[in-house]
Amino acid sequence: ISVEKEKWSTILFGLQHTFVMFGATVLVPLITGLQVSTTLFAVGIGTLVFHFITRLLLQEGSCKDARENLKNN
C-alpha cells in the first residue's frame, strides 16, 4: 500500500470514529434525557481503565501469559 493511500485511509477512519463517538456520547444522552457531562465523564473513566489494563497486560508480556500468571497467583 502506498504511503499516500495509507494516509487517506487513516484520515477517513479517524473521521468515522469521531462520528460514531459523537453519536454514542452526545446524541444518545440527549435523546434519552441523560446528562451529556455524565456520559463524557463515564467515557473518560472507561478510557483510563482500558489504558491501565492494557498497559498492565503488555508489561506482563502477552495477554495469554498475563492470564496464566493471574490464574497461578
Side-chain angles (χ1 to χ4, degrees), residues 2 9-10 12-13 15 21 23 28-29 34-35 38 42 44 52 56-57 59 67 70:
S2 69
S9 65
T10 302
L12 290 175
F13 283 135
L15 287 172
M21 184 186 146
V28 172
L34 298 172
Q35 291 184 355
T38 304
F52 175 75
L56 179 68
L57 292 176
Q59 288 175 355
R67 281 182 280 185
L70 290 173

Side-chain angles (χ1 to χ4, degrees), residues 4 12-13 16 39 46 49 52 58 65 67 69-70 73:
E4 186 69 26
L12 290 175
F13 283 135
Q16 179 189 15
T39 306
V49 169
F52 175 75
L58 288 174
D65 291 338
R67 281 182 280 185
N69 287 339
L70 290 173
N73 290 334

Side-chain angles (χ1 to χ4, degrees), residues 43-59:
V43 167
I45 295 296
T47 301
L48 291 175
V49 169
F50 170 79
H51 284 289
F52 175 75
I53 290 172
T54 55
R55 287 179 191 256
L56 179 68
L57 292 176
L58 288 174
Q59 288 175 355

Side-chain angles (χ1 to χ4, degrees), residues 7-22:
K7 181 175 98 172
W8 281 109
S9 65
T10 302
I11 291 170
L12 290 175
F13 283 135
L15 287 172
Q16 179 189 15
H17 179 74
T18 302
F19 286 124
V20 170
M21 184 186 146
F22 178 77

